[in-house]
Amino acid sequence: MKKIIAILVACGMIFSLSACGNDRASSDTGNEVAESVPNTDAPLQTEETEPSESTDTSSDLEASQPEGQTNALVAYFAYSENMGDTSGMSVDAITSASVGQTGNAEGNLQVIAQVIQENTGADVFHIVAARPYDPEYDVMHDRAIDEQSNNERPALESKIENLDQYDVVYLGTPVWGGSLPAPMLTFLDENDLSGKTIIPFGIHLGSQFGRNLSQIEDKYPSATLLDGLTVNARTDNDDVRVQAGEWLESLGIE
C-alpha cells in the first residue's frame, strides 16, 4: 500500500512540474501573475551591502481594477519572466533554473504582486527586457554585472502609455549586485514617477533592499516613498503571502 501511495505522489509531482514548464513556455512575457511562475529571481551575491532601514496600453499590462479603487499600478521585474522562450528546455532544466540560488521553485515576487492585486485591484505591468537573460544562472549573473558596471539601459519589450492615470506605483524587484537590475533602471528612465507615491517590494539573500531605495529616491526626490516589504528569497510562498497581507494592512490598505 505504501509503495502505491509513493508512486501516486511521484506521478503527481511530475505532472505538476510539466504543467509549470508548459505554462512558462506559452508566455514569454509572464502575462499572468501566478505562484506557478518559477522563482529565478535570486539576488546576485557579488558584494556585501548594508541592509536598508526599511524591511518591510501595453501587451504586458493586466487591467483588473475594480470600480472605486485608487488608481494603482504594480510594476515589477522578475528574472523568471525574462528568460525568453523555454519551450526547448527539458522540465529538469527549467526546474534547475527556477530554483537558482534560492531553493524556492516558485516566485516570491509574483506572490507579493498577486497579493497586492487581490487587495487593491491594481493593474500589473511586467518589466521584460527585449533581449532575454540566459536561463543558466551563472551566465545571467555575468551579463547582469556587466550591465551594471557599464551603466547600461537594456531596451524593454513594451511601455506604459497611460502612466498619468496612476497615483500609486508598487515597484517590485530583486537586489542584483546590491543594486537595482539594469532593466528596472530602464523602466525608471522611461517612466516619470515624479510626484507619485512609490511603494517598493522585493526579494534578497541578506542585503534587504541594498541600495535600491536610495537609487529610487535619487531618481525621483519629489515622489513619496512609503515603507516597503522585502523578503528573503528562500522564504516559503505561504509565509510570503501572509507577510504581504500584513504589510498592506500596516499601510492602511484594505
Side-chain angles (χ1 to χ4, degrees), residues 133-152:
Y133 286 85
D134 197 285
E136 176 62 42
Y137 184 86
D138 290 340
V139 177
M140 176 278 293
H141 176 282
D142 291 344
R143 171 184 163 185
I145 296 304
D146 285 343
E147 288 176 337
Q148 289 180 327
S149 299
N150 298 326
N151 199 29
E152 295 181 24

Side-chain angles (χ1 to χ4, degrees), residues 168-229:
V168 177
V169 178
Y170 294 86
L171 206 60
T173 178
V175 179
W176 278 13
S179 305
L180 293 171
M184 178 59 74
L185 293 176
T186 300
F187 176 84
L188 292 177
D189 281 353
E190 294 181 348
N191 296 278
D192 188 0
L193 304 185
S194 298
K196 298 185 183 297
T197 297
I198 301 175
I199 308 177
F201 65 96
I203 60 174
H204 66 92
L205 284 176
S207 62
Q208 304 295 330
F209 276 116
R211 291 188 294 273
N212 289 4
L213 299 186
S214 62
Q215 287 178 288
I216 296 171
E217 289 177 320
D218 289 345
K219 181 69 176 178
Y220 293 113
S222 66
T224 300
L225 190 64
L226 298 189
D227 290 339
L229 171 69

Side-chain angles (χ1 to χ4, degrees), residues 99-146:
V99 172
Q101 301 292 305
T102 69
N104 184 354
E106 295 180 311
N108 289 159
L109 278 173
Q110 286 91 335
V111 171
I112 298 173
Q114 185 180 46
V115 172
I116 296 171
Q117 185 182 47
E118 290 171 351
N119 282 270
T120 69
D123 292 342
V124 176
F125 181 79
H126 304 262
I127 300 173
V128 179
R131 181 166 72 95
Y133 286 85
D134 197 285
E136 176 62 42
Y137 184 86
D138 290 340
V139 177
M140 176 278 293
H141 176 282
D142 291 344
R143 171 184 163 185
I145 296 304
D146 285 343

Side-chain angles (χ1 to χ4, degrees), residues 48-60:
E48 295 296 325
T49 58
E50 291 296 325
S52 166
E53 292 182 1
S54 177
T55 60
D56 293 329
T57 271
S58 158
S59 62
D60 290 332

Side-chain angles (χ1 to χ4, degrees), residues 60-77:
D60 290 332
L61 188 63
E62 298 172 3
S64 59
Q65 190 158 295
E67 184 179 355
Q69 289 285 336
T70 300
N71 288 338
L73 174 70
V74 179
Y76 73 92
F77 170 80

